[in-house]
Amino acid sequence: MNKILVVGAGFAGACYARTLAEHGYSVAVIDKRPHIAGNCYDYLHDTGVRVHAYGPHLFHTSNQRVVDWLSRFTDWTPYAHKVVARLSDNRKLPLPVNLDTVNEFFGINLESESAVRHHLKSISEAIPRIRNAEDWLYANIGKELTNVFFRPYTKKMWDLDLSDVDAAVVQRIKIRADRSNLYFPNDTFQAMPTNGYTTLFSKILDHARIEVSLSTEFDKKMLDHFDFCFNSMPIDEYFGFKFGRLPYRSIRFHLTQHCIEEAEPHTTVNYTDDGPFTRETWWHNIPDHWDGKSAQVLRSVEEPCDYRDNDDERYYPVKSSDGSYDRLYEKYREEAIGLAKMNFIGRCGTYQYLDMHQVINQSLSHCQKWISENSNS
Ligand code: UDP
């Protein structure tokens, strides 16, 4: 077993390709897009601003193995992401909900973490069994905060009511009783790859035993030329949607140019209204994302939609509270067990809503395991 096909040049595919190449395998990486780096792809705009073409990718983790592995291919620029939520009266409050959010929202003046915890408890509902995102939020921050900060945004994002969304989706947002206003308050490592993600990916894929072909669609006939395939394409598409389509949300990005005086001081502003847009990102506020030579900067506004309405660009697997889409995925996963020469990998191959560090960690672990199990064949 020596020749491996990797479908997809995002984080899953790049981690597999590099690990396999370093263990002596010859690896062909194909990607249907004209660029590497999957949804992490970034580029330098004419204004001198670095833009992430598929939305903000803010690197954060507490997993030192992931940091160590990536650090072989990039230096890091420290950056701890912060977000504010814009209310209907235009006030901008910290998100995740923290001590300052509670004080400003309710017009009170709590000073300690215990006072905030006590207040949140007093406005929360007693819910014996958490069945969905609404239950979890009602049980932790109460109805009023939920209905302003989470209900409209979630409806726009998923086209689902909070009660139909899996609790894990909103549990990504860590509620704080202190003044920490970091979006990822619990992660020990928060930084951006210096020179961007695309450069990082080109270094990961720069190996004598890796060959990359872009603008290349996967075709089952390719398998004849390889001993094994790690495939990050959508698993339902591979099987011709025989059990039905797995739903994904996509994002349309509206990129506009502004003079620096018009810009927000915040990198990301989330919208709490019930219009079509969820958030805006001002790229120049991320360190090393603007050379400052022009007085022009860029803003991306995000408009979620069904992936079928955005050229089949799949971004987010939909995690419903009744688990129906996970059950549909299970059917495809069971079908895939019968494939002797292929494993599905990554977000679309395994239908998981994963952060970058989670994809990298899983990919490194699974690839190492596969190599040790196949080392004698
Ligand atoms: N969310 C929300 N309001 C916000 C931010 C997030 O209701 O202002 C909910 C929404 O359902 C969203 C989920 O929390 O999909 C996870 O948010 P996160 O910012 O982690 O999403 P991502 O950055 O992956 O798009």
Side-chain angles (χ1 to χ4, degrees):
M1 193 154 329
N2 185 42
K3 288 180 71 185
I4 311 284
L5 176 65
V6 171
V7 181
F11 259 130
C15 289
Y16 271 85
R18 183 75 194 202
T19 307
L20 290 161
E22 289 177 351
H23 282 80
Y25 294 89
S26 296
V27 187
V29 178
I30 59 166
D31 200 297
K32 66 179 181 182
R33 287 176 172 157
H35 60 73
I36 58 169
N39 281 2
C40 299
Y41 173 71
D42 57 14
Y43 63 94
L44 212 49
H45 185 268
D46 293 344
T47 47
V49 176
R50 182 179 302 287
V51 177
H52 304 185
Y54 305 94
H57 283 71
L58 297 319
F59 192 79
H60 60 98
T61 188
S62 295
N63 185 330
Q64 192 56 41
R65 174 173 84 138
V66 169
V67 176
D68 290 345
W69 193 80
L70 288 175
S71 300
R72 294 171 51 203
F73 311 104
T74 187
D75 292 329
W76 296 99
T77 302
Y79 173 65
H81 189 50
K82 293 176 188 168
V83 173
V84 291
R86 190 176 72 197
L87 304 189
S88 55
D89 60 7
N90 232 15
R91 272 185 303 158
K92 298 190 183 91
L93 269 50
L95 194 85
V97 169
N98 70 5
L99 182 149
D100 293 313
T101 318
V102 169
N103 277 340
E104 288 187 46
F105 186 78
F106 292 109
I108 53 182
N109 196 19
L110 304 174
E111 282 175 0
S112 68
E113 283 185 48
S114 59
V116 175
R117 272 199 215 94
H118 185 261
H119 185 78
L120 287 176
K121 194 152 196 279
S122 73
I123 58 175
S124 295
E125 311 270 306
I127 296 179
R129 197 171 68 84
I130 304 294
R131 297 156 303 176
N132 53 51
E134 179 184 74
D135 282 353
W136 188 81
L137 289 165
Y138 280 6
N140 283 279
I141 57 171
K143 278 188 178 159
E144 219 178 326
L145 288 166
T146 298
N147 288 337
V148 170
F149 288 90
F150 288 92
R151 190 175 297 284
Y153 188 106
T154 295
K155 176 70 182 158
K156 294 181 275 192
M157 177 63 211
W158 300 102
D159 197 24
L160 290 173
D161 185 71
L162 270 175
S163 56
D164 295 321
V165 172
D166 192 296
V169 172
V170 293
Q171 285 165 348
R172 293 167 55 82
I173 315 292
K174 310 297 178 199
I175 294 154
R176 299 291 297 205
D178 61 8
R179 288 217 140 87
S180 168
N181 59 354
L182 302 184
Y183 203 57
F184 312 110
N186 304 334
D187 278 326
T188 50
F189 183 85
Q190 308 196 32
M192 301 297 287
T194 308
N195 302 319
Y197 285 99
T198 308
T199 305
L200 162 63
F201 274 78
S202 67
K203 297 247 166 70
I204 297 173
L205 294 168
D206 180 16
H207 187 285
R209 281 189 289 275
I210 298 178
E211 197 179 316
V212 180
S213 305
L214 299 175
S215 306
T216 305
E217 290 267 1
F218 171 75
D219 182 325
K220 285 184 185 164
K221 289 196 208 92
M222 290 172 177
L223 297 173
D224 296 342
H225 306 287
F226 295 93
D227 300 309
F228 203 85
C229 173
F230 292 101
N231 196 338
S232 73
M233 73 183 284
I235 192 168
D236 56 342
E237 187 180 332
Y238 178 87
F239 288 111
F241 308 107
K242 64 196 279 188
F243 303 123
R245 279 180 187 270
L246 288 166
Y248 287 84
R249 296 298 281 171
S250 191
I251 307 280
R252 291 195 196 99
F253 293 97
H254 303 276
L255 189 68
T256 48
Q257 196 166 319
H258 304 261
C259 51
I260 184 72
E261 290 78 23
E262 289 169 16
E264 280 283 344
H266 312 283
T267 304
T268 297
V269 179
N270 284 9
Y271 303 157
T272 58
D273 62 48
D274 51 17
F277 308 110
T278 45
R279 63 186 174 194
E280 65 182 37
T281 297
W282 294 88
W283 300 102
H284 68 284
N285 287 326
I286 305 174
D288 283 347
H289 276 57
W290 184 40
D291 62 16
K293 286 185 190 143
S294 86
Q296 296 287 302
V297 294
L298 297 170
R299 176 184 73 170
S300 294
V301 175
E302 299 185 26
E303 181 184 13
C305 60
D306 189 292
Y307 81 99
R308 306 284 284 150
D309 299 325
N310 193 27
D311 293 333
D312 284 0
E313 288 282 8
R314 295 165 172 86
Y315 287 37
Y316 296 85
V318 180
K319 298 291 166 183
S320 59
S321 54
D322 65 3
S324 54
Y325 305 135
D326 285 340
R327 284 197 293 282
L328 178 55
Y329 163 69
E330 271 306 306
K331 289 191 185 175
Y332 285 112
R333 196 186 65 78
E334 278 167 23
E335 194 77 358
I337 293 170
L339 301 174
K341 285 173 52 171
M342 185 179 300
N343 282 355
F344 284 88
I345 63 171
R347 188 174 42 92
C348 294
T350 63
Y351 203 61
Q352 294 179 85
Y353 182 3
L354 296 171
D355 288 333
M356 289 178 283
H357 67 107
Q358 295 169 318
V359 177
I360 296 163
N361 188 48
Q362 273 190 9
S363 302
L364 295 178
S365 296
H366 293 175
C367 190
Q368 282 293 351
K369 185 162 180 279
W370 185 88
I371 289 169
S372 52
E373 286 171 359
N374 290 275
S375 54
N376 298 324
S377 51

